[in-house]
Amino acid sequence: MTSLIFLHKYVRDLQFFLSIRRRNRCCRFTRYKYKSKEACRMESNAFRLRVWLFLSAGNETFERLASFGLMANFMVYLQSEYHMNQVKAATLLNTWSAASNFAPVIGAYVSDAFIGKFWTIAFGSFSSLLGMIIMTLTALLPQLRPPPCTHEGQLHGQCVGHNKAQLGILIASLCWLSIGTGGIKPCSIPFSVDQFDLTTEEGRKGNNSFYNLYYTTQTIVLLITQTVVVYIQNDISWAIGFGIPALCMLFAIVLFFVGTKVYIYIKPEGSVFAAVAQVFVAAYKKRQLNLPSDDGQFYIPPFSRSLLPELHLTRQYSCLNKAALIVGDEVKQDGLCENPWRLCSVQQVEDVKCLINIIPIWLTSVLGFLAMNQQGTFTVAQALKMDLQFGPSIKIPAGSVGVITLIAIAIWLPFYDRVVVAALEKVTKQEGGITLLQRIGIGNLFSILTMLVSGFLETERRLSALSHGGTDGIAPMTVMWLTPQLILIGFSEIFSIVGLIEFYNKQFPEHMRSIGNSLIYLTFSFASYASSIVISVVHDVSARHGSNWLSDDINTSKLDYFYFLIAGISSLNFLFFLFCARRYHYRSSVKLM
């Protein structure tokens, strides 16, 4: 119902916007493309927020429905339909997750350097659709997966495994999904932010609440769809369960192209990586020069003077300032530089400094996400060995236990944004109540607490299964015992992920926003690879010493020890984060004149 209300409001605004365009074809030059005078006056927070809600509900929401829905129950699909053991399934899942979260870096580069955000999202949407169709076919056609096997056969490892062709088709579908993710994820938020006019007070207010609203709406939709889709996959049909996201993605593509006439487009400005490399090359070539005290000897392109207030080089990383030092006739009569590999603008140098400052924070977030990676793999394995009955007639699918996390996010995040932030702002006099890095740090603390609670709960679950469990190894404990760790990881996501999204988008310059947004997914990628490495090392080392922590039978393994290990790694990482956060200098915001 809420989505229908937003859709109705958006269509009403869309009709009004198009009627204005028909009445007034006269456009003025701005940094946006084709923006009429009357349309500019319509750029209020409410209108831009509705445009974003329509875009998000029509595109990335369904992309996340597919990718997150697959991850939530994909562990069960690999074990039950492809007869993979626990470690192999978790490794494949983490590898796919890593590839999917690395792809946005490539997508951000293509978007910023060549085709722009709109067409990158469009290509990613079609790629995701193709991946979903192939995945649906693996569940629909029996010859694309191993023959069925009884539950007893799975327990004793007597099932016929998959062949190379079947595994290849499965991986092909995952590859297309990863490519689609690479096109949608790095551009969706920046493209949505482009719809806000940050030169107006309403636009800035809308942008400040944008990130919490973004995560809230995504969580609500995932909460609804994940329960329904996972139930269909487990109790009705895997083919139908995979086919629903495919149909949603097709509908999303149609909705996305319907809004082409109302979107605001910003043209790509060339490769950000080349601009960064130019600063280092130019600074190296001028390394023998001394820095003057006069700011007038540094290069500021003529077009920047009319758009931005006067820029000054900061003293931090002063060796890079030499890249902007004008020597001889490096500047032509029209104000442009002769060779961008010998002379860079002040803005370029400051952008590189911003990137250098952010890298340590990004590195700490990689290990900070280790706890989140375990919730999609081993938490499901825990649920499979617990009592899934809820009430007299409801049996909870193991892949749906993550819904508890989504419920926690959906309830707490709006409350935090509207109530807690307002109260904190009165006390701290700080916009947002706390700084961005403080918010990320709180998320890291919740991830450590999650692993500690998970370890203690797993100890009780294993002891219960071994002492009171039946022949199937299921512990006489309700699956709702997993609620504390799932709520805690939800709090960790609220503070860490939302904080990082806002941090990257606010601290990166505007023309590097796609790259900045892709860092959050690169973090997920490296965290998944790190998780795979930790799992493999722990599995091999513990097996050699006679007590396998991650054996196929979770009741005889030492999963609680593994959780405590992750908590220890996360604690050391948190100390490194505190060190980096204390040294970080926030980038001052530059407003358009």
Side-chain angles (χ1 to χ4, degrees):
M1 181 60 69
T2 303
S3 300
L4 292 177
I5 293 173
F6 283 130
L7 180 60
H8 169 72
K9 292 180 178 179
Y10 176 80
V11 171
R12 184 181 61 192
D13 286 341
L14 178 61
Q15 291 172 345
F16 179 50
F17 185 84
L18 294 179
S19 67
I20 288 178
R21 289 178 59 86
R22 287 192 293 269
R23 293 198 307 268
N24 187 356
R25 298 286 183 177
C26 179
C27 296
R28 64 183 176 89
F29 174 77
T30 64
R31 70 189 183 98
Y32 299 121
K33 182 181 179 183
Y34 302 128
K35 190 161 120 181
S36 67
K37 295 180 180 179
E38 290 181 90
C40 289
R41 288 194 292 269
M42 289 182 55
E43 288 183 343
S44 65
N45 176 40
F47 177 72
R48 290 301 166 205
L49 190 56
R50 290 171 193 168
V51 170
W52 166 76
L53 285 171
F54 181 80
L55 168 65
S56 178
N59 192 262
E60 192 185 1
T61 297
F62 291 113
E63 187 275 335
R64 289 190 68 187
L65 183 157
S67 60
F68 192 79
L70 281 174
M71 182 173 290
N73 209 32
F74 202 51
M75 187 83 170
V76 178
Y77 184 64
L78 293 177
Q79 290 181 294
S80 63
E81 299 298 323
Y82 279 78
H83 314 319
M84 294 184 184
N85 60 46
Q86 179 176 265
V87 172
K88 185 174 182 180
T91 301
L92 178 60
L93 187 58
N94 281 321
T95 303
W96 169 53
S97 176
S100 297
N101 289 307
F102 181 79
V105 178
I106 301 175
Y109 170 75
V110 172
S111 168
D112 289 346
F114 302 108
I115 63 177
K117 303 182 188 73
F118 175 83
W119 288 110
T120 305
I121 295 173
F123 177 79
S125 299
F126 283 108
S127 178
S128 291
L129 178 62
L130 179 58
M132 293 178 208
I133 291 175
I134 298 176
M135 180 65 69
T136 304
L137 291 177
T138 64
L140 185 63
L141 303 177
Q143 57 268 33
L144 297 183
R145 62 183 188 275
C149 185
T150 62
H151 181 67
E152 290 74 13
Q154 293 180 9
L155 291 177
H156 297 88
Q158 299 174 349
C159 301
V160 178
H162 55 78
N163 56 42
K164 292 183 179 180
Q166 292 167 343
L167 181 62
I169 294 174
L170 179 68
I171 293 177
S173 67
L174 298 178
C175 288
W176 282 112
L177 287 171
S178 296
I179 294 172
T181 299
I184 296 174
K185 283 186 175 180
C187 301
S188 196
I189 293 179
F191 188 63
S192 300
V193 172
D194 288 345
Q195 312 308 310
F196 292 95
D197 184 2
L198 300 182
T199 63
T200 65
E201 183 178 357
E202 288 183 323
R204 290 191 294 272
K205 287 182 179 178
N207 185 55
N208 288 336
S209 295
F210 168 80
Y211 304 99
N212 286 334
L213 290 172
Y214 166 82
Y215 212 76
T216 301
T217 54
Q218 296 289 299
T219 301
I220 292 174
V221 173
L222 287 173
L223 174 62
I224 299 172
T225 55
Q226 189 183 1
T227 52
V228 176
V229 172
V230 170
Y231 169 76
I232 292 174
Q233 290 172 349
N234 284 343
D235 295 345
I236 300 178
S237 169
W238 284 101
I240 297 176
F242 289 150
I244 290 175
L247 291 176
C248 290
M249 194 70 231
L250 178 62
F251 181 63
I253 293 173
V254 174
L255 291 180
F256 182 66
F257 280 97
V258 164
T260 52
K261 291 185 178 181
V262 77
Y263 297 140
I264 288 174
Y265 305 91
I266 296 180
K267 294 182 178 180
E269 299 182 4
S271 173
V272 173
F273 298 107
V276 171
Q278 287 169 355
V279 172
F280 287 105
V281 172
Y284 178 78
K285 290 180 178 179
K286 298 179 179 179
R287 64 189 182 280
Q288 302 296 338
L289 301 178
N290 295 321
L291 290 172
S293 58
D294 184 10
D295 288 346
Q297 299 184 37
F298 295 103
Y299 175 59
I300 300 179
F303 59 83
S304 297
R305 301 179 188 275
S306 60
L307 293 176
L308 297 171
E310 186 177 358
L311 296 171
H312 297 278
L313 285 168
T314 59
R315 294 183 179 181
Q316 192 179 27
Y317 310 117
S318 58
C319 60
L320 297 177
N321 293 355
K322 297 178 182 181
L325 181 61
I326 301 174
V327 178
D329 56 352
E330 290 181 330
V331 179
K332 297 185 289 187
Q333 293 182 352
D334 58 2
L336 300 178
C337 66
E338 285 281 355
N339 185 357
W341 293 94
R342 287 196 60 86
L343 180 64
C344 301
S345 67
V346 171
Q347 184 66 57
Q348 276 183 270
V349 175
E350 290 302 308
D351 290 348
V352 172
K353 291 180 181 180
C354 173
L355 182 62
I356 294 174
N357 280 331
I358 289 176
I359 286 176
I361 303 298
W362 169 73
L363 289 174
T364 61
S365 62
V366 171
L367 293 180
F369 283 1
L370 280 179
M372 298 181 193
N373 281 83
Q374 314 314 317
Q375 303 307 310
T377 54
F378 293 113
T379 300
V380 177
Q382 287 177 282
L384 288 171
K385 292 297 184 179
M386 300 179 75
D387 183 8
L388 296 172
Q389 199 69 30
F390 185 74
S393 59
I394 299 177
K395 186 175 182 180
I396 303 174
S400 292
V401 294
V403 169
I404 298 174
T405 300
L406 298 179
I407 293 174
I409 294 174
I411 294 175
W412 172 253
L413 194 51
F415 178 78
Y416 175 82
D417 183 53
R418 298 302 179 185
V419 179
V420 177
V421 169
L424 287 174
E425 286 179 339
K426 293 179 180 179
V427 176
T428 63
K429 309 300 180 183
Q430 168 83 34
E431 182 181 354
I434 55 178
T435 66
L436 296 176
L437 291 179
Q438 286 173 342
R439 183 171 184 173
I440 296 169
I442 293 173
N444 288 339
L445 287 176
F446 272 116
S447 68
I448 297 171
L449 185 59
T450 300
M451 287 293 93
L452 292 175
V453 173
S454 299
F456 289 125
L457 288 176
E458 170 58 17
T459 301
E460 293 299 321
R461 189 212 61 81
R462 187 179 73 251
L463 292 176
S464 177
L466 294 177
S467 58
H468 305 291
T471 56
D472 53 4
I474 295 179
M477 293 176 59
T478 175
V479 74
M480 300 307 293
W481 274 100
L482 298 177
T483 298
Q485 69 188 63
L486 292 171
I487 291 178
L488 289 172
I489 202 63
F491 285 165
S492 177
E493 290 187 27
I494 290 172
F495 286 96
S496 293
I497 297 181
V498 180
L500 282 169
I501 291 174
E502 187 174 359
F503 177 76
Y504 291 145
N505 280 275
K506 286 187 174 181
Q507 293 300 300
F508 269 94
E510 180 182 344
H511 63 281
M512 299 175 67
R513 200 174 282 154
S514 294
I515 296 295
N517 190 64
S518 68
L519 279 184
I520 185 69
Y521 302 109
L522 187 63
T523 303
F524 290 140
S525 175
F526 281 19
S528 296
Y529 282 124
S531 181
S532 296
I533 293 173
V534 171
I535 290 174
S536 299
V537 171
V538 170
H539 176 69
D540 294 339
V541 173
S542 61
R544 287 200 299 267
H545 289 78
S547 177
N548 195 338
W549 289 10
L550 301 174
S551 62
D552 291 340
D553 186 358
I554 193 174
N555 288 335
T556 59
S557 63
K558 303 291 184 180
L559 183 59
D560 48 349
Y561 292 0
F562 177 74
Y563 283 154
F564 292 141
L565 175 63
I566 298 296
I569 295 174
S570 300
S571 298
L572 294 176
N573 177 73
F574 178 68
L575 296 177
F576 180 56
F577 168 81
L578 292 178
F579 173 78
C580 296
R582 288 180 61 87
R583 296 172 58 87
Y584 183 80
H585 297 280
Y586 284 94
R587 171 177 173 264
S588 59
S589 58
V590 179
K591 300 177 183 178
L592 294 175
M593 299 297 288

